[in-house]
Amino acid sequence: MARILLTLRYDGTRYHGWQVQPNAVTVQEVLQDAVERITGVRSGITGCSRTDAGVHANMFCCAMDSDTPLRGDKLCKALNAVLPRDVAVYEAKEVAQEFHPRYDARGKRYEYRLYNGQHRHPFYEGYAVHINRPLNAELLDRAAKDYLGTHDFAAFCASGSSVEDTVRTVSHAAVRREGDLVIFSVAADGFLYNMVRIMVGTLLDISTGRIASDAIPDILASCDRDRAGVTAPACGLYLQEVYYERSDADVTQDI
Amino acid sequence: MARILLTLRYDGTRYHGWQVQPNAVTVQEVLQDAVERITGVRSGITGCSRTDAGVHANMFCCAMDSDTPLRGDKLCKALNAVLPRDVAVYEAKEVAQEFHPRYDARGKRYEYRLYNGQHRHPFYEGYAVHINRPLNAELLDRAAKDYLGTHDFAAFCASGSSVEDTVRTVSHAAVRREGDLVIFSVAADGFLYNMVRIMVGTLLDISTGRIASDAIPDILASCDRDRAGVTAPACGLYLQEVYYERSDADVTQDI
C-alpha cells in the first residue's frame, strides 16, 4: 500500500462540501467513487480540511492508501476520465506513510471574490458575491492588515463551534481590485469554522460604515462573535493554496 | 414608441444561440419573455448578430421598440430581476428610431479561449476549450497577423452558407497568453458563418504542424474551405465588443 497525495480543483456549487455525509453529494464521495472505478477497491481518502457546501477549491489536497501502480499524470488522467466535470485532479504523487494532509499542513490560503459591477454578471453567478455599491479596495486593504499576526479569533468563529483553541496566526491579508472583481486573500496557519467568511462580512460592514474601519483590533480583543460582521455567502470562497513542508510531501518524485 | 438599445452579457451554455427558433430555448426568447413580464407587451427585439448554440457574449446589443417609461439602470434592474441567471442586461438607452443593431454595427470583436493546462479544469468546462499539448502563443500570434487586412474569407466560411460577398476586413488579430489561458482576439467589419471558429481551428492545426505557420495567405487565396482547419467548438467563443458610430447609438443620454 502506498500513500498517494492527490491535488484537485473543484467547483463546489453542487456539493455539500468535502466530507462524506448521508443524503448529500460531497467531493470526497465522488472522488472515492472514481478511485474505486479505476482500482476496483474503495479506499478511504483523507482531506486537508472540511469545506462548507458551495465553497470552491483551486487547490485541495487529500491522501489515499492504494495498491494502484499508477502515479503522476497517468493517475490524474485515469481519475479525470471518470470524475464529474466539476472536479479534477492535477497532481498525484507518493508521499511518506505517516503523511497526513490535514495535520501536516503548515497553513492555507483562501481567496474571497466579490463582483463589484452595478448589474448582475452571468459568468460570476455562483462564483463571486455581487456587491453593487462601489467598494474602496484600498480602504478595505488597510483594514484587512489588522487581521495580520497572532490573535484569538474567537470573534471570527461561527457560534456553536467546539474548537477550544481559537488562537491563529494570519501571515497574509490583502484586498485587491482586478477590474470588476474585489478579491480578499488571506493565509494563516489554520482557520476556524467560517473564519474567512466572517472576516469578509466584517470588511463589508466596514465598507458601509456599519463597522468603523479601525475596529478590527477591538473586535478581535472582544472575542465576541456579535461584534464582527455577518457570515458572507459560501459561493465567493475559494481554497487557493495548502502549504506543506517540502520534506513532508515530497518524499518521492512524480513518476 | 421609443427604440431602446439593450446591451447584455450571457452565458450561452444552455441556449441555442440568440435567434428564436422552434423547440429550443434562445436568448432572444428569454429576453422577450422578460420584456413582456415588465411591460405587459411582447416586443420584437432585433439582435446585432445571430450567435451559434453554446457561444457566449460579454457584449451583445439588441434593440426593442417599447412604450416603457423605464430607461438606464432602472430598466436594467427591472429586466435582470426577471431574466434567468445566465443572461443580464447592463446598459439600456434610447436610440434613434432608424437605429438598427445589426446594420449599423461598424464591426465586432470576438475572443476565443483555449485552456492550455495539462489536466481538465473544472472552472473552464464549457467556457474554454482544453488543449493539453503546450501551445506557443507567440508563434500563433505571428500566424494570426496574416488574417489582418481585407481578404476574401470564403475559405473561412462554413460550407452551405448562402452569403454572396465573402470579403471582410480584419482590423485586429492577436493571440496572447494569460496564465493557463491562450486567447485569440479578432476584430472585423463583419464575420462570416463560423469564421472565428475556423480561424481558431486553423491556428490549432498550425500548432500541431498539420498546417504550415505561413500558410494562411495561401489558404485565403484558395477560397477553399477544405484548406483551412476544422471548426473549433462553440463553447470557447465570446462576442466581446460591438462597435457603433457614436452618432448612431448615442442620440440620447442614459436617464
Side-chain angles (χ1 to χ4, degrees):
Chain A
M1 283 290 230
R3 182 155 293 186
I4 297 172
L5 174 63
L6 301 174
T7 310
L8 43 149
R9 277 197 184 86
Y10 58 82
D11 173 345
T13 306
R14 68 183 191 98
Y15 295 101
H16 285 255
W18 162 259
Q19 188 150 310
V20 165
Q21 51 183 288
N23 307 320
V25 181
T26 65
V27 179
Q28 188 181 27
E29 180 185 340
V30 299
L31 188 59
Q32 287 176 346
D33 289 348
V35 168
E36 186 173 358
R37 277 192 62 185
I38 65 163
T39 67
V41 177
R42 193 160 189 89
S43 306
I45 303 183
T46 309
C48 63
S49 75
R50 299 174 182 200
T51 57
D52 282 345
V55 172
H56 309 296
N58 274 306
M59 180 177 185
F60 187 96
C61 296
C62 56
M64 69 168 179
D65 292 324
S66 173
D67 284 328
T68 178
L70 297 174
R71 295 288 183 282
D73 290 334
K74 283 180 186 154
L75 182 52
C76 293
K77 271 183 196 158
L79 287 168
N80 289 341
V82 297
L83 279 166
R85 284 162 52 106
D86 47 13
V87 180
V89 178
Y90 59 91
E91 198 175 75
K93 61 184 174 188
E94 194 171 332
V95 290
Q97 288 291 339
E98 61 276 16
F99 176 81
H100 191 289
R102 183 167 178 191
Y103 302 133
D104 287 344
R106 282 191 296 116
K108 300 189 188 80
R109 186 171 71 83
Y110 284 91
E111 285 192 356
Y112 195 97
R113 299 186 183 201
L114 300 162
Y115 163 59
N116 196 32
Q118 190 169 9
H119 297 291
R120 280 205 294 112
H121 194 305
F123 297 107
Y124 294 138
E125 292 274 338
Y127 301 102
V129 168
H130 186 194
I131 303 291
N132 64 4
R133 63 177 184 280
L135 293 174
N136 181 337
E138 293 73 27
L139 171 86
L140 298 183
D141 182 58
R142 282 193 299 275
K145 298 301 183 230
D146 286 334
Y147 290 134
L148 286 169
T150 302
H151 307 284
D152 186 334
F153 280 93
F156 294 85
C157 180
S159 54
S161 167
S162 60
V163 169
E164 292 191 2
D165 178 9
T166 50
V167 174
R168 296 292 184 274
T169 299
V170 171
S171 52
H172 162 78
V175 176
R176 68 182 191 274
R177 177 176 284 279
E178 289 184 6
D180 277 341
L181 287 177
V182 172
I183 300 170
F184 173 57
S185 171
V186 59
D189 57 350
F191 288 89
L192 303 170
Y193 187 49
N194 282 353
M195 180 166 149
V196 182
R197 292 165 59 186
I198 299 170
M199 286 171 140
V200 170
T202 303
L203 291 172
L204 288 175
D205 276 344
I206 287 173
S207 77
T208 62
R210 201 189 73 83
I211 291 179
S213 63
D214 60 356
I216 288 174
D218 288 345
I219 297 170
L220 285 165
S222 77
C223 291
D224 178 359
R225 172 67 189 90
D226 293 337
R227 294 276 306 274
V230 296
T231 305
C235 72
L237 186 60
Y238 294 72
L239 178 53
Q240 284 291 121
E241 290 186 88
V242 187
Y243 305 113
Y244 296 106
E245 297 294 341
R246 239 194 113 66
S247 57
D248 288 336
D250 282 349
V251 293
T252 60
Q253 292 295 310
D254 285 0
I255 292 167
Chain B
M1 281 293 229
R3 183 154 293 185
I4 298 173
L5 174 64
L6 301 174
T7 309
L8 41 149
R9 277 197 184 88
Y10 58 82
D11 173 345
T13 306
R14 69 183 190 98
Y15 295 100
H16 286 255
W18 163 259
Q19 187 150 310
V20 164
Q21 51 182 287
N23 307 319
V25 181
T26 66
V27 180
Q28 189 181 25
E29 180 186 339
V30 300
L31 188 58
Q32 287 175 346
D33 289 348
V35 168
E36 186 174 358
R37 276 191 64 185
I38 66 162
T39 67
V41 179
R42 191 157 190 91
S43 307
I45 304 183
T46 309
C48 62
S49 75
R50 299 174 183 202
T51 57
D52 283 344
V55 172
H56 309 295
N58 274 306
M59 181 177 185
F60 187 96
C61 295
C62 57
M64 68 167 179
D65 292 324
S66 174
D67 285 327
T68 178
L70 296 175
R71 295 288 184 280
D73 290 333
K74 282 180 187 152
L75 182 51
C76 293
K77 271 183 197 157
L79 287 168
N80 289 340
V82 297
L83 279 166
R85 283 162 53 108
D86 46 14
V87 180
V89 179
Y90 60 90
E91 197 174 75
K93 61 183 175 189
E94 195 171 332
V95 289
Q97 287 291 339
E98 61 276 16
F99 177 81
H100 191 289
R102 184 167 177 190
Y103 302 133
D104 287 345
R106 281 190 298 117
K108 300 190 188 79
R109 185 170 71 84
Y110 283 91
E111 284 193 356
Y112 195 97
R113 298 185 183 201
L114 300 162
Y115 164 58
N116 195 32
Q118 189 167 11
H119 298 291
R120 279 205 296 111
H121 194 305
F123 297 106
Y124 295 138
E125 292 275 337
Y127 301 101
V129 168
H130 186 194
I131 303 291
N132 64 4
R133 62 177 184 280
L135 294 173
N136 181 336
E138 293 74 27
L139 172 86
L140 298 181
D141 182 58
R142 283 194 298 274
K145 297 303 184 232
D146 286 334
Y147 290 134
L148 287 169
T150 302
H151 307 283
D152 187 333
F153 280 93
F156 293 84
C157 179
S159 55
S161 168
S162 59
V163 169
E164 291 190 3
D165 178 8
T166 50
V167 175
R168 296 290 184 276
T169 298
V170 171
S171 53
H172 162 78
V175 175
R176 69 182 191 274
R177 177 176 285 280
E178 290 185 6
D180 277 340
L181 287 177
V182 172
I183 301 169
F184 172 57
S185 171
V186 59
D189 57 350
F191 289 89
L192 304 170
Y193 187 50
N194 282 353
M195 180 166 149
V196 182
R197 292 165 59 187
I198 299 169
M199 287 172 139
V200 171
T202 304
L203 291 173
L204 289 174
D205 277 344
I206 287 173
S207 77
T208 61
R210 201 188 75 81
I211 292 179
S213 63
D214 59 357
I216 288 174
D218 288 345
I219 298 170
L220 284 165
S222 76
C223 291
D224 179 359
R225 171 69 190 87
D226 293 338
R227 295 276 306 274
V230 296
T231 304
C235 71
L237 186 59
Y238 295 72
L239 178 53
Q240 284 291 121
E241 290 186 88
V242 188
Y243 307 113
Y244 296 105
E245 296 294 341
R246 238 193 115 66
S247 57
D248 288 335
D250 282 350
V251 293
T252 60
Q253 293 295 311
D254 286 1
I255 294 166

